């Protein structure tokens, strides 16, 4: 029996990073959509089919500048990886991953220009990957990061 699959289902990601400066100012430094990698889509397929055992547990920031590709399996130049908190109460078909980067973290090198969601503290599956305009992370700035994945139908 032939299955007629239509290309109207999507997994979309959206990353927001806010910088809290020492003087109290809050600045949005990243607000854009991202790429879901092929290995990330395969992870979601495996989870839905009951064949998966890995879950998104961590997020990483890096200093790479190469445009993301569907075939990516790691950040270009990872600087820091943190465990994420998961929030599924944000709406139907959505999940949000949140994490914080403190003042003393990720300052060397301080340039941040890429991010990814992963399934492990080390290595793991790179589910999403994004590059963005670089910003400088210093010991006077804390970062608040929110990454939302939305499962959409046409």
């Amino acid at each position: 029996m032939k299955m007629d699959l239509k290309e109207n289902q999507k997994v979309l990601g959206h990353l927001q990073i806010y910088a809290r400066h020492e003087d109290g100012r809050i600045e949005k430094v990243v607000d854009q959509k991202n790429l879901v990698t092929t290995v990330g889509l395969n992870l979601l397929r495996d989870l839905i089919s009951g064949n998966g055992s890995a879950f998104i547990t961590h997020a990483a920031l890096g200093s790479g500048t190469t445009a993301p590709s569907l075939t990516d399996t790691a950040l270009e130049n990872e600087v820091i990886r943190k465990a994420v908190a998961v929030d599924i109460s944000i709406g139907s078909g959505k999940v949000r991953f949140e994490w914080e980067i403190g003042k003393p973290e990720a300052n060397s090198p301080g340039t941040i220009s890429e991010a990814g969601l992963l399934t492990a503290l080390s290595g793991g599956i790179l589910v999403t990957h994004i590059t963005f305009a670089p910003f400088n992370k210093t010991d006077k700035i804390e970062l608040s990061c929110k990454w939302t994945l939305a499962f959409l139908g046409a």
Side-chain angles (χ1 to χ4, degrees):
M1 182 165 123
K2 182 180 175 189
M3 259 176 37
D4 184 21
L5 297 177
K6 296 183 180 178
E7 305 242 353
N8 60 357
Q9 303 296 311
K10 296 181 183 180
V11 180
L12 300 177
H14 187 239
L15 174 64
Q16 295 180 311
I17 300 177
Y18 297 87
R20 285 190 304 270
H21 297 267
E22 201 168 52
D23 64 7
R25 287 180 298 122
I26 297 177
E27 170 189 18
K28 189 183 292 184
V29 292
V30 176
D31 186 9
Q32 68 186 64
K33 294 178 182 173
N34 67 273
L35 175 87
V36 177
T37 64
T38 299
V39 292
L41 290 171
N42 289 340
L43 169 77
L44 297 172
R45 175 206 61 208
D46 293 347
L47 289 170
I48 291 168
S49 68
N51 293 313
S53 60
F55 305 93
I56 295 172
T57 57
H58 288 78
L61 298 178
S63 60
T65 57
T66 302
S69 166
L70 289 173
T71 59
D72 288 348
T73 58
L75 296 188
E76 180 180 353
N77 188 31
E78 187 173 322
V79 173
I80 188 170
R81 190 177 294 204
K82 300 281 284 203
V84 295
V86 180
D87 181 359
I88 60 170
S89 67
I90 62 168
S92 181
K94 295 180 183 178
V95 59
R96 180 177 294 144
F97 303 91
E98 300 180 8
W99 72 101
E100 303 279 327
I101 306 293
K103 289 179 184 177
E105 299 177 297
N107 297 322
S108 180
T111 301
I112 303 296
S113 56
E114 68 174 329
L117 288 173
L118 300 113
T119 61
L121 175 60
S122 177
I125 297 169
L126 178 66
V127 179
T128 60
H129 189 200
I130 187 172
T131 56
F132 40 82
F135 65 89
N136 195 34
K137 166 68 175 75
T138 71
D139 62 357
K140 298 188 183 338
I141 297 173
E142 295 176 328
L143 299 178
S144 175
C145 309
K146 297 177 181 186
W147 207 321
T148 303
L149 292 181
F151 302 86
L152 306 173

